[in-house]
């Protein structure tokens, strides 16, 4: 029956038949279906004129919701002129259109994705933002759409970027303002390269770089001149600090005015997607009583992932081997100048490189592949219906390539992600003076590690197990002791497929101390070491190569050497050495190891809690942590007032300035190694 409806819908679309001529409001594919009928039967063609309409929403279970009054208009900039148009919906009253966990609001959008032959670029970018940890990522609910009885294609039902719970969830300001109103926030802003605002009411240009900043909230019908002056002066102070002689100073420079967590995650997602418009149109926002600018949400990515054929950016039209801070739009009418200036601060470069490597190690690349696969399957019937109407080989906007099949377009995005992410690994490292000579290596490991298990690693010849000589921080072997946590190892599969091996008792990682330039056939024989864990260090990345009888060679990525029990000695304390890897790997018992589950983790932690302490210096308002090595503190810390509003976040290896905030009680929270912590702070 569903296949029959699909074929019938294709025929109807080609013949211009009305949906009601085919029967009641039903789904034509596995996706939900939206039917919109204007009251007058007129089409919806204008960005400026709202058209009154009725709407039927048929969900996945074939339940039909009817909305007897809403307004519809065309939305977008360059996409508004296309044949398949995007729309803005405004209901008469608030609607929780996508159910629990989504906004309850009047305004929603229907994205046409007409310039994107995969129809998926906006969706996977939103999911990438979610994976990276951005607070708000627009919804990506795919639907089929019929207007006035004519099927018009596959659409993405999504959020309007505005201020409210489950969207940009900052404090909504008083309206109208009073003399007691707090005008420090919230604000929703956009660097708007189209200059689509009325200066002096809903936007302004910065003094130094003429960056066009649009004020989305408070909107132009409600904003007061006091709010306008406040946020304009605030953004100008950020720009002035960024271009001051002391811009790298952690206290007097720009750092005190940016939330580093959202800045890093938003910036990396923009570069991973290769969005040429990422700095031409940039959303950012400010919370009440919070001295930092937050970045995001991600929006408008249909020409990202190498989907823009324009070559007027100075670097051609292929973004695969480009950084958007160098080649994206927005140099003269966006915030690309801001981004380039940020890279002049070593702190920012280290922040981006570190966070990018974390995301790579957490499997971002495979995550994007998985989402491409699942969404491709989800919309398969709908995309067929869509391209029967619109044509899959017809250039609609700025498509860089045209193919004959839908699958080729998806493969094109997949290949771009693979090649571009490898480029970014080298490019980000190069920006901070680290040279990566070889392209990033991705492997498929033979050993599938369970992330919630500890393993004992036993030698084939002696049955002694990996253990720790804590006096010299080296690896040795001892007879099996089931109660010894120093014989238990947590094995994590990194995003590149290599394995990261951390001891349960000490929290140290297995490391290869071989000198640089060692090769697999270089007979070095140095003792394998234990070091502070750093999953981005090649010395701490390993591959388990399967041999007979469930045994493995443990091969160092750094040197190519095999872990070898010295002389095959069964005595306790015998060292494990970094040794030649060759054709004897499969035969020598000294190089063959068996990982066996030796314990189960209660919380999924990877290492024991390290020693550190939270401190507050009342004299200078500095909230910070103390530890022997602050760089080990990689978790994010949130600071909340007594009303539960977040006033800011910071990386635990940095500090947080409390001076701008009023005296009172605050809650400081963080999660480290699976444990949640909260501390009350009286200022």
């Amino acid at each position: 029956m569903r296949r029959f409806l699909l074929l019938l819908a294709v025929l109807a679309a080609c013949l211009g038949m009305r949906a009601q001529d085919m029967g009641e409001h039903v789904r034509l594919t596995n996706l939900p279906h939206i039917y919109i009928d204007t009251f007058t039967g007129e089409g919806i063609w204008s960005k400026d004129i709202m058209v009154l309409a009725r709407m039927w929403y048929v969900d996945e279970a074939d339940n039909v919701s009817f909305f007897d009054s809403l307004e519809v208009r065309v939305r977008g900039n360059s996409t508004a002129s296309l044949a398949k148009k995007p729309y803005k919906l405004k209901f008469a009253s608030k609607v929780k259109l996508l159910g629990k966990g989504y906004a309850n609001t009047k305004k929603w959008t229907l994205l046409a994705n007409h310039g994107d032959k995969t129809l998926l670029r906006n969706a996977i970018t939103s999911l990438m933002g979610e994976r990276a940890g951005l607070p708000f990522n627009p919804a990506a609910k795919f639907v089929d759409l019929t207007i006035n009885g004519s099927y018009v294609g596959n659409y993405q039902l999504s959020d309007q970027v505005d201020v409210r719970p489950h969207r940009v969830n900052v404090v909504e300001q008083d309206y109208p303002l009073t003399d007691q109103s707090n005008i420090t926030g919230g604000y929703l802003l956009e660097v708007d390269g189209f200059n689509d605002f009325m200066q002096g009411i809903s936007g302004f240009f910065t003094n130094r770089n003429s960056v066009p900043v649009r004020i989305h909230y408070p909107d132009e019908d409600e904003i007061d001149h006091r709010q306008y002056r406040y946020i304009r002066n605030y953004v100008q102070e950020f720009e002035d600090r960024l271009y001051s002689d002391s811009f790298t100073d952690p206290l007097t420079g720009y750092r005190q005015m940016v939330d580093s967590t959202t800045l890093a995650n938003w910036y990396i997602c923009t570069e991973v997607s290769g969005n040429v418009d990422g700095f031409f149109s940039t959303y950012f926002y400010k919370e009440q009583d919070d001295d930092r600018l937050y970045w995001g949400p991600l929006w408008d990515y249909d020409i990202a992932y190498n989907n823009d054929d324009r070559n007027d950016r100075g670097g051609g039209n292929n973004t695969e081997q480009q950084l958007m801070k160098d080649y994206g739009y927005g140099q003269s009418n966006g915030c690309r100048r801001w981004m380039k200036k940020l890279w002049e601060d070593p702190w920012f470069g280290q922040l981006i490189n570190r966070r990018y490597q974390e995301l790579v190690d957490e499997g971002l690349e495979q995550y994007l592949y998985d989402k491409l696969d699942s969404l491709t399957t989800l919309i398969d019937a709908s995309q067929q219906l869509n391209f029967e109407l619109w044509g899959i080989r017809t250039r609609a906007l700025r498509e860089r390539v045209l193919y004959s099949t839908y699958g080729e377009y998806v493969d094109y995005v997949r290949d771009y992600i693979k090649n571009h992410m490898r480029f970014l690994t080298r490019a980000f490292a190069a920006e901070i003076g680290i040279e990566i000579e070889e392209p990033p290596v991705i492997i498929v490991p033979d050993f599938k590690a369970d992330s919630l298990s500890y393993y004992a690693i036993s030698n084939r010849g002696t049955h002694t197990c990996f253990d720790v000589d804590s006096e010299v921080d080296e690896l040795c072997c001892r007879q099996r002791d089931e109660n010894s946590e120093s014989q238990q190892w947590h094995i994590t599969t990194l995003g590149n497929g290599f394995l990261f091996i951390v001891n349960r008792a000490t929290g140290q990682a297995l490391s290869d101390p071989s000198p640089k330039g060692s090769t697999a056939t270089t007979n070095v024989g140095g003792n394998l070491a234990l070091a502070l864990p750093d999953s981005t260090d090649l010395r701490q990345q390993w591959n388990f190569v399967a041999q007979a009888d469930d045994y493995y060679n443990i091969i160092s990525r750094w040197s190519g050497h095999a872990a070898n029990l010295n002389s095959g000695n069964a005595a306790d304390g015998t060292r494990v050495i970094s040794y030649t890897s060759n054709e004897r790997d499969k035969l020598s018992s000294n190089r063959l190891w068996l990982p066996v589950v030796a314990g189960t983790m209660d919380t999924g932690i990877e290492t024991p809690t390290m020693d550190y302490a939270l401190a507050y210096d009342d004299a200078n308002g500095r909230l910070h942590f103390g530890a022997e090595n602050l760089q080990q503190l990689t978790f994010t810390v949130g600071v909340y007032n007594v009303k539960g509003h977040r006033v800011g976040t910071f990386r635990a290896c940095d500090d947080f300035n409390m001076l701008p905030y009023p005296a009172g009680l605050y809650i400081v929270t963080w999660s480290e190694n699976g444990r949640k912590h909260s501390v009350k702070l009286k200022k």
Side-chain angles (χ1 to χ4, degrees):
M1 179 63 178
R2 185 61 50 78
R3 181 173 177 80
F4 170 75
L5 287 171
L6 176 61
L7 294 173
L8 186 59
V10 172
L11 179 62
C14 295
L15 297 178
M17 293 173 59
R18 291 176 56 84
Q20 283 80 350
D21 295 335
M22 297 185 291
E24 59 183 340
H25 299 100
V26 296
R27 291 184 297 133
L28 301 183
T29 71
N30 56 300
L31 298 182
H33 200 116
I34 290 178
Y35 291 86
I36 294 175
D37 283 356
T38 63
F39 278 95
T40 62
E42 62 183 312
I44 306 165
W45 308 110
S46 173
K47 286 180 59 175
D48 303 315
I49 301 173
M50 300 292 286
V51 179
L52 291 174
R54 304 180 184 88
M55 188 182 109
W56 293 261
Y57 180 85
V58 188
D59 68 15
E60 293 92 338
D62 294 315
N63 300 309
V64 181
S65 300
F66 173 62
F67 304 92
D68 62 358
S69 180
L70 71 153
E71 295 176 302
V72 188
R73 68 167 175 84
V74 175
R75 66 167 307 279
N77 289 300
S78 56
T79 56
S81 62
L82 303 183
K84 182 188 177 189
K85 298 189 180 302
Y87 299 104
K88 179 178 179 179
L89 310 179
K90 184 177 181 181
F91 292 84
S93 57
K94 292 181 179 180
V95 177
K96 208 170 182 64
L97 200 55
L98 293 180
K100 187 176 181 181
Y102 292 94
N104 182 28
T105 180
K106 296 180 180 181
K107 297 177 182 179
W108 297 86
T109 63
L110 283 167
L111 303 180
N113 294 314
H114 193 34
D116 171 15
K117 291 296 191 291
T118 71
L119 306 169
L120 301 176
R121 283 175 166 87
N122 275 311
I124 62 169
T125 306
S126 184
L127 291 167
M128 175 164 54
E130 183 177 313
R131 175 79 171 194
L134 286 172
F136 166 61
N137 302 284
K141 183 76 168 182
F142 286 99
V143 300
D144 293 307
L145 177 64
T146 294
I147 296 179
N148 288 336
S150 294
Y151 172 77
V152 293
N154 172 282
Y155 276 73
Q156 180 183 330
L157 178 59
S158 189
D159 294 279
Q160 174 82 4
V161 179
D162 59 10
V163 169
R164 64 190 58 256
H166 299 296
R167 290 188 176 171
V168 180
N169 193 15
V170 295
V171 171
E172 295 186 40
Q173 296 198 44
D174 296 340
Y175 179 74
L177 291 183
T178 68
D179 291 339
Q180 288 74 43
S181 293
N182 185 341
I183 63 170
T184 63
Y187 293 91
L188 173 61
L189 310 169
E190 179 192 6
V191 173
D192 182 3
F194 287 104
N195 305 342
D196 188 18
F197 56 84
M198 186 176 296
Q199 188 176 359
I201 298 177
S202 57
F204 55 87
F205 291 84
T206 62
N207 295 335
R208 182 181 293 268
N209 287 304
S210 295
V211 175
V213 178
R214 180 177 178 180
I215 305 171
H216 283 277
Y217 179 83
D219 64 37
E220 62 185 8
D221 295 331
E222 297 183 357
I223 191 167
D224 183 278
H225 64 92
R226 289 168 289 178
Q227 295 165 313
Y228 173 83
R229 285 199 304 268
Y230 173 85
I231 196 58
R232 176 172 184 165
N233 291 339
Y234 186 87
V235 174
Q236 189 59 56
E237 182 183 353
F238 161 73
E239 186 180 71
D240 289 344
R241 286 195 183 199
L242 181 60
Y243 285 86
S244 69
D245 292 339
S246 61
F247 79 103
T248 61
D249 188 287
L251 294 178
T252 62
Y254 72 93
R255 294 184 208 171
Q256 289 294 322
M257 298 188 70
V258 296
D259 174 70
S260 61
T261 302
T262 55
L263 175 60
N265 290 333
W266 163 80
Y267 179 86
I268 288 169
C269 289
T270 301
E271 291 285 11
V272 169
S273 64
N275 185 16
V276 292
D277 275 351
F279 308 134
F280 182 80
S281 173
T282 299
Y283 281 99
F284 59 116
Y285 54 96
K286 184 185 182 299
E287 179 60 285
Q288 193 174 88
D289 292 327
D290 187 334
D291 253 4
R292 302 188 180 202
L293 293 172
Y294 292 76
W295 302 80
L298 303 165
W299 186 255
D300 200 10
Y301 279 68
D302 56 337
I303 63 171
Y305 306 92
N306 230 15
N307 194 36
D308 183 0
D309 68 353
R310 292 174 290 179
N311 59 8
D312 55 348
R313 296 176 291 108
N317 64 2
N318 187 346
T319 62
E320 188 177 274
Q321 304 292 311
Q322 295 178 348
L323 289 173
M324 294 303 94
K325 64 103 171 173
D326 294 326
Y327 293 106
Y329 295 105
Q331 176 70 12
S332 61
N333 54 349
C335 69
R336 185 156 71 91
R337 288 183 182 177
W338 286 356
M339 297 303 114
K340 290 175 72 68
K341 185 65 177 178
L342 286 171
W343 274 104
E344 294 179 20
D345 183 1
W347 171 85
F348 179 78
Q350 291 164 6
L351 169 71
I352 297 303
N353 189 59
R354 180 184 67 224
R355 179 57 180 147
Y356 180 70
Q357 289 304 317
E358 288 174 354
L359 290 169
V360 169
D361 290 344
E362 291 165 5
L364 176 62
E365 184 176 341
Q366 187 60 49
Y367 173 84
L368 292 175
Y369 296 157
D370 292 344
K371 292 304 179 184
L372 267 176
D373 289 342
S374 61
L375 290 175
T376 298
T377 300
L378 175 68
I379 72 167
D380 184 56
S382 180
Q383 64 85 8
Q384 292 180 50
L385 198 60
N386 182 84
F387 290 117
E388 286 288 341
L389 179 61
W390 296 110
I392 201 163
R393 286 186 54 82
T394 303
R395 180 169 281 104
L397 183 58
R398 300 190 182 98
E399 296 93 319
R400 187 171 174 271
V401 295
L402 292 174
Y403 294 115
S404 299
T405 66
Y406 179 76
E408 289 175 291
Y409 288 105
V410 176
D411 288 343
Y412 177 79
V413 173
R414 184 189 304 275
D415 289 343
Y416 178 79
I417 291 171
K418 178 181 70 174
N419 295 330
H420 190 55
M421 288 190 69
R422 282 152 182 71
F423 162 76
L424 291 178
T425 297
R426 301 191 303 274
F428 287 158
E431 290 286 338
I432 60 173
I434 299 174
E435 181 179 354
I436 299 178
E437 297 177 357
E438 298 296 327
V441 177
I442 307 294
I443 66 168
V444 178
D446 291 338
F447 179 66
K448 309 298 184 185
D450 179 358
S451 63
L452 296 181
S453 295
Y454 292 106
Y455 292 87
I457 301 175
S458 173
N459 179 257
R460 181 174 185 173
T462 65
H463 303 295
T464 55
C465 297
F466 273 16
D467 209 327
V468 176
D469 187 334
S470 57
E471 291 185 3
V472 289
D473 288 334
E474 289 181 353
L475 185 69
C476 65
C477 275
R478 293 191 175 95
Q479 294 297 319
R480 178 78 175 101
D481 180 354
E482 294 184 358
N483 296 318
S484 174
E485 291 191 352
S486 66
Q487 292 187 10
Q488 297 182 18
W489 303 82
H490 184 225
I491 304 175
T492 304
T493 303
L494 303 176
N496 55 19
F498 287 93
L499 302 174
F500 182 55
I501 307 171
V502 176
N503 186 261
R504 182 176 186 177
T506 68
Q508 294 174 300
L510 183 62
S511 180
D512 182 358
S514 299
K516 185 176 182 180
S518 301
T519 65
T521 55
T522 305
N523 184 354
V524 175
N527 298 334
L528 290 183
L530 294 158
L532 293 174
D534 179 1
S535 64
T536 66
D537 186 346
L538 301 187
R539 295 176 177 83
Q540 298 182 24
Q541 296 185 15
W542 303 85
N543 186 18
F544 282 29
V545 179
Q547 303 294 357
D549 302 324
D550 296 326
Y551 282 87
Y552 296 84
N553 301 128
I554 301 178
I555 306 296
S556 166
R557 179 182 181 184
W558 170 253
S559 66
H561 294 158
N564 187 304
L565 182 64
N566 194 14
S567 301
N569 194 331
D572 282 354
T574 300
R575 293 293 187 265
V576 181
I577 59 178
S578 175
Y579 199 71
T580 298
S581 175
N582 54 25
E583 66 278 358
R584 285 187 48 79
D585 286 353
K586 64 180 67 176
L587 302 173
S588 174
S589 295
N590 299 350
R591 306 180 196 176
L592 293 171
W593 305 90
L594 178 66
V596 179
V597 173
T600 302
M601 306 176 74
D602 295 329
T603 62
I605 63 173
E606 296 184 9
T607 60
T609 302
M610 62 194 79
D611 291 329
Y612 60 87
L614 179 67
Y616 175 61
D617 299 332
D618 191 56
N620 60 20
R622 180 170 169 258
L623 180 65
H624 64 97
F625 283 85
E628 286 188 6
N629 186 350
L630 281 174
Q631 297 308 311
Q632 286 184 261
L633 305 184
T634 59
F635 47 88
T636 299
V637 186
V639 183
Y640 296 80
N641 62 24
V642 290
K643 294 182 179 179
H645 296 309
R646 186 175 66 185
V647 301
T649 61
F650 66 103
R651 301 276 293 186
C653 56
D654 298 327
D655 57 29
F656 185 75
N657 182 15
M658 293 290 296
L659 285 177
Y661 305 109
L665 188 65
Y666 293 84
I667 309 296
V668 184
T669 68
W670 68 95
S671 180
E672 181 261 328
N673 288 337
R675 298 184 176 94
K676 293 183 178 179
H677 305 270
S678 63
V679 174
K680 291 182 180 179
L681 168 67
K682 187 175 182 180
K683 178 177 183 289

